Amino acid sequence: MVGGARRHYSGAVSRGLSLRMLLGLGLGAALGALAHAQLDPAALESFASHVTEPIGKIFLRLLFMLVLPLVVAALPLGVAGLGDLHALGRVGFRTLLYTVAVSATAVAIGVTLVNLVQPGAAVDPAVAERLRAGAPAAPPVAATGVDLLVRLVPSNVVQSMAEGDLLAVMVFALFLGVGLAAVRTAPARRLEEGLQGLYDVVMWLLEVVIRVAPLGIACLVFTLTARLGLDVLRQLAAYVGVVVAGLAIHQFGVYSLSVYWLGGMSPRRFFRAVRPAMLTAFSTASSNATLPTALAVAEHDLGLPPHVSRFVLTLGSTANQNGTALFEGVTVLFLAQFYGIDLSLAQELTVVGICILGGIGTAGVPAGSIPVVMMILGLVGVPPEGIGMILGVDRFLDMCRTAVNVTGDLAAAVVVARGEAAPAA
């Protein structure tokens, strides 16, 4: 009950902050462009380096501070939410298999579009070289697939945490979640409650940090536009277009095929029935807040067996975030292009894998995916300063991807229910 209240409160806070965040983006961009055109370059660089850039970096460090505890708490809870792995049977296996397959498809769509359109690659070559010079070196990537596979398993998880090896930490968190789902003793449940408490505290702290986001966004965007001019806004518009196009393809292409071929239902009937849930998701930008509406739609409008719809939709509100996975992949590759950082095939595949896993542990609340994006940026060596641009338009994109997430949950319920409807009757 407490967690649910906090999630509702988070959504209300985000709705109030969204306008101020957008204003922060606009103000930072306008003042930065004006300073770029009017001020002496030396004076402008001094002001940006000593005032706006430090403020923006402090805001980013506050977000980074919460990444590790969020991963350690959220990912095990998402996996443990599957329940007893031995008792779930067909419903749990089919749900998990479908979730991984469709999330992988979503990320593949986003990665393909961003590589084809290249929304972040239009920076002036001289400016791109300067951005590359100031970027941190990318972490070393294993030379072979076998080496990469070995590195995924931490020999000392505490050391991995200290060294910032977040990929190894995620693997440990997955194992911890599987153990929590399999072991049904009272001490194991107390550990799960402790992780839930850590998760609640971290989400509350994230709310506090997001409250200062308008100032952080204004400073980050001012620094970028003061150095680049208005080119950054054109690239931001291209980025938004790629994200929305990818979400639309997944929403009306992939889901239509899945409900027709795998669920045996007409896409026309499906989308007509799920409109109330889609509208609720779009307006609240929260999968958790939309759950009651989605449950009603599944049972009354789609006619799905209650034991299937309740399991799939409750799990899906946190562990089937297809739209969020797509958004995260596009965002990371866009920012890599923006800073002129060429990611290797192994790094892009790493991004894809983490986005799929991140869909399990991403909070079903507004701005819940931002810490995951921050984690991936640090993992592949992309400067996090560009996140200021993303935060400025994140509310609109959050509304779009949440509608896709909730539609995906309902599509998954249709697919899973096809094999379970007869026994339930």
Side-chain angles (χ1 to χ4, degrees):
M1 180 65 69
V2 175
R6 284 176 178 166
R7 290 185 180 96
H8 177 75
Y9 174 65
S10 175
V13 170
S14 182
R15 287 193 293 273
L17 280 176
S18 59
L19 179 59
R20 294 199 296 275
M21 292 169 70
L22 186 60
L23 289 175
L25 171 69
L27 184 62
L31 293 179
L34 182 63
H36 178 81
Q38 301 295 329
L39 294 184
D40 174 71
L44 176 59
E45 183 61 31
S46 176
F47 178 78
S49 299
H50 292 89
V51 180
T52 58
E53 192 171 37
I55 295 175
K57 285 185 175 180
I58 290 173
F59 171 65
L60 293 176
R61 289 174 73 90
L62 287 171
L63 287 173
F64 271 123
M65 178 181 68
L66 300 175
V67 168
L68 189 60
L70 183 61
V71 169
V72 172
L75 199 52
L77 289 173
V79 176
L82 291 169
D84 188 341
L85 296 179
H86 299 289
L88 285 176
R90 291 189 308 273
V91 175
F93 178 75
R94 285 160 61 90
T95 302
L96 184 61
L97 185 63
Y98 177 85
T99 296
V100 172
V102 177
S103 293
T105 303
V107 180
I109 290 172
V111 169
T112 301
L113 282 177
V114 79
N115 279 318
L116 287 176
V117 179
Q118 297 278 313
V123 179
D124 181 83
V127 176
E129 183 61 32
R130 192 165 76 247
L131 288 172
R132 273 195 297 272
V141 179
T144 68
V146 175
D147 291 337
L148 183 59
L149 182 63
V150 171
R151 287 179 54 200
L152 288 177
V153 181
S155 59
N156 185 333
V157 69
V158 176
Q159 182 180 359
S160 297
M161 292 178 182
E163 294 176 350
D165 189 354
L166 291 171
L167 197 55
V169 174
M170 289 187 75
V171 171
F172 166 75
L174 279 173
F175 271 87
L176 181 60
V178 171
L180 285 174
V183 179
R184 311 308 296 176
T185 63
R189 301 285 65 76
R190 289 196 292 271
L191 174 58
E192 187 173 350
E193 290 176 0
L195 289 174
Q196 182 65 53
L198 175 61
Y199 175 82
D200 291 341
V201 170
V202 172
M203 290 305 299
W204 183 86
L205 291 173
L206 180 61
E207 285 184 5
V208 174
V209 174
I210 291 297
R211 287 177 182 272
V212 301
L215 176 61
I217 291 170
C219 290
L220 289 168
V221 174
F222 175 90
T223 303
L224 284 172
T225 52
R227 290 170 174 166
L228 302 181
L230 290 175
D231 286 344
V232 64
L233 297 183
R234 288 193 288 270
Q235 290 176 293
L236 181 61
Y239 157 77
V240 171
V242 168
V243 174
V244 172
L247 293 174
I249 291 172
H250 195 71
Q251 172 92 333
F252 299 107
V254 175
Y255 291 156
S256 294
L257 290 174
S258 68
V259 298
Y260 180 76
W261 291 107
L262 301 177
M265 180 179 291
S266 163
R268 182 186 297 273
R269 179 197 166 194
F270 173 76
F271 282 106
R272 186 185 299 117
V274 303
R275 278 183 300 182
M278 289 172 56
L279 291 173
T280 303
F282 185 80
S283 62
T284 63
S286 171
S287 300
N288 292 336
T290 312
L291 183 57
T293 304
L295 287 169
V297 165
E299 296 181 20
H300 300 136
D301 298 316
L302 293 174
L304 303 181
H307 76 285
V308 173
S309 61
R310 291 170 189 172
F311 171 80
V312 174
L313 293 178
T314 301
L315 176 64
S317 65
T318 55
N320 185 32
Q321 308 280 336
N322 306 152
T324 297
L326 186 151
F327 160 79
E328 291 167 357
V330 171
T331 300
V332 172
L333 295 188
F334 163 73
L335 290 176
Q337 293 171 2
F338 182 79
Y339 284 97
I341 297 174
D342 293 325
L343 299 182
S344 66
L345 178 60
Q347 287 175 308
E348 289 204 15
L349 291 176
T350 300
V351 170
V352 170
I354 296 177
C355 289
I356 296 171
L357 293 178
I360 299 175
T362 298
V365 297
S369 62
I370 295 303
V372 178
V373 174
M374 301 284 291
M375 177 191 69
I376 303 174
L377 291 176
L379 189 66
V380 296
V382 177
E385 286 80 2
I387 200 70
M389 295 187 296
I390 308 306
L391 287 173
V393 296
D394 182 63
R395 176 63 184 186
F396 169 70
L397 295 179
D398 203 354
M399 295 164 72
C400 294
R401 65 181 181 261
T402 303
V404 174
N405 290 340
V406 171
T407 306
D409 296 340
L410 288 162
V414 170
V415 171
V416 174
R418 186 181 189 184
E420 298 295 319

